């Protein structure tokens, strides 16, 4: 079990659907991250929130829209996704963004786009 | 450019010792992390090195040489559950937030 909780664990959606991925942590961490991971590849950073403000947006297409309602929650809103967006989406958190703080990952949401 | 190299796959025997190497070329250096990832699961943090030398944590140790751009993860008394991918990640100087990830080393443990 991880201390970063992600829901749902699996999601299958069509290209016209709208869905949201959710992430929650109660470790008092002030930095939260979204990563995308394809099979046999390392995680690719998508977004970083530091103190509930978006710090980094790694040129991610606008069909992915992050939201940080409070310091414990992070959402990723999905709309009009493409088949190549099928991947494991990982949420992570750390005490601060940077320094020697390790990132703690959730178990991920496995997303399949039909 | 920024690059991290790890072997793609390694095989070792239960009870033995294995060393997984990682070499990096990055714009600056602010620490190196090792993560373990079992298939279909989240990466879990193993170790952090920012100064040269060896950090030991139970059966796992991690070594860093900044002058050589080199690290290794040493796993002792291997167990079947150690079969996983091991990811090396470096925090460069350009950004305090981003980690530059290696592609990972898939470790297969045989009885």
């Amino acid at each position: 079990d991880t201390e970063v909780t992600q829901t749902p664990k699996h999601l299958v959606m069509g290209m016209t659907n709208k869905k949201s991925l959710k992430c929650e942590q109660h470790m008092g961490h002030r930095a939260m991250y979204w990563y995308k991971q394809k099979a046999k590849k390392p995680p690719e950073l998508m977004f970083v929130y530091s103190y509930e403000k978006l710090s980094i947006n790694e040129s991610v297409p606008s069909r992915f829209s992050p939201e940080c309602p409070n310091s414990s929650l992070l959402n990723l809103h999905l709309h009009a996704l493409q088949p190549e967006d099928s991947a494991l989406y990982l949420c992570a958190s750390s005490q601060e963004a940077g320094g020697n703080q390790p990132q703690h990952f959730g178990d991920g949401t496995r997303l399949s786009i039909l | 450019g920024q690059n991290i190299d790890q072997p793609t796959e390694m095989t070792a025997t239960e009870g033995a010792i294995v060393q997984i190497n990682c070499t990096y070329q990055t714009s600056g250096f602010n620490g190196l992390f090792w993560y373990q990832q079992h298939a279909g699961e989240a990466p879990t943090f193993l170790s952090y090195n920012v100064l040269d030398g060896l950090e030991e944590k139970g059966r796992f140790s991690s070594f860093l040489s900044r002058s050589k751009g080199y690290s290794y993860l040493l796993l002792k008394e291997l167990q079947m559950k150690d079969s996983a991918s091991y990811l090396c990640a470096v925090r460069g100087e350009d950004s305090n937030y981003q980690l530059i990830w290696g592609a990972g080393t898939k470790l297969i443990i045989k009885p």
Side-chain angles (χ1 to χ4, degrees):
Chain A
D1 289 343
T2 64
E3 295 175 83
V4 177
T5 305
Q6 289 188 244
T7 55
K9 292 195 184 305
H10 301 274
L11 179 61
V12 179
M13 57 188 285
M15 289 190 284
T16 58
N17 292 156
K18 283 185 185 182
K19 296 285 184 184
S20 296
L21 308 185
K22 297 186 182 302
C23 175
E24 189 169 2
Q25 58 88 14
H26 294 289
M27 295 180 281
H29 289 175
R30 302 317 300 263
M32 295 186 78
Y33 312 77
W34 279 117
Y35 284 90
K36 173 183 176 181
Q37 187 177 28
K38 292 281 214 180
K40 299 183 182 179
K41 298 285 187 184
E44 296 173 42
L45 183 66
M46 299 174 74
F47 302 104
V48 180
Y49 274 83
S50 179
Y51 288 85
E52 300 161 51
K53 290 191 185 335
L54 183 62
S55 296
I56 293 180
N57 174 351
E58 283 293 306
S59 302
V60 178
S62 59
R63 57 186 184 267
F64 295 92
S65 174
E67 179 197 15
C68 189
N70 60 55
S71 59
S72 300
L73 295 174
L74 186 66
N75 299 322
L76 186 63
H77 303 298
L78 314 172
H79 174 55
L81 295 194
Q82 303 298 308
E84 62 265 27
D85 297 323
S86 297
L88 180 67
Y89 287 83
L90 292 163
C91 174
S93 71
S94 62
Q95 283 188 342
E96 303 280 341
N100 65 350
Q101 310 301 323
Q103 295 178 18
H104 298 264
F105 286 83
D107 286 335
T109 294
R110 190 159 297 282
L111 178 65
S112 298
I113 307 300
L114 301 178
Chain B
Q2 311 208 82
N3 193 49
I4 296 184
D5 288 314
Q6 304 178 235
T8 304
E9 188 173 298
M10 298 181 71
T11 303
T13 305
E14 191 177 14
I17 298 173
V18 71
Q19 177 175 311
I20 302 174
N21 296 326
C22 169
T23 57
Y24 61 90
Q25 300 91 39
T26 57
S27 302
F29 179 82
N30 273 309
L32 184 145
F33 296 83
W34 281 97
Y35 282 84
Q36 178 192 61
Q37 187 174 25
H38 286 98
E41 297 183 13
T44 55
F45 168 70
L46 291 177
S47 68
Y48 172 76
N49 294 73
V50 68
L51 299 177
D52 290 351
L54 188 67
E55 295 278 344
E56 297 189 72
K57 252 190 202 181
R59 292 191 299 116
F60 293 3
S61 303
S62 57
F63 172 82
L64 175 69
S65 169
R66 288 171 296 170
S67 62
K68 296 181 180 176
Y70 168 69
S71 174
Y72 67 73
L73 182 69
L74 191 72
L75 291 76
K76 302 176 186 174
E77 300 168 20
L78 286 170
Q79 301 175 10
M80 297 303 291
K81 68 178 182 179
D82 297 329
S83 292
S85 286
Y86 291 85
L87 296 145
C88 171
V90 172
R91 179 165 282 126
E93 207 166 64
D94 287 350
S95 167
N96 280 330
Y97 304 139
Q98 296 191 55
L99 295 177
I100 304 152
W101 293 83
T105 298
K106 182 178 179 180
L107 178 64
I108 300 167
I109 309 298
K110 295 187 173 178

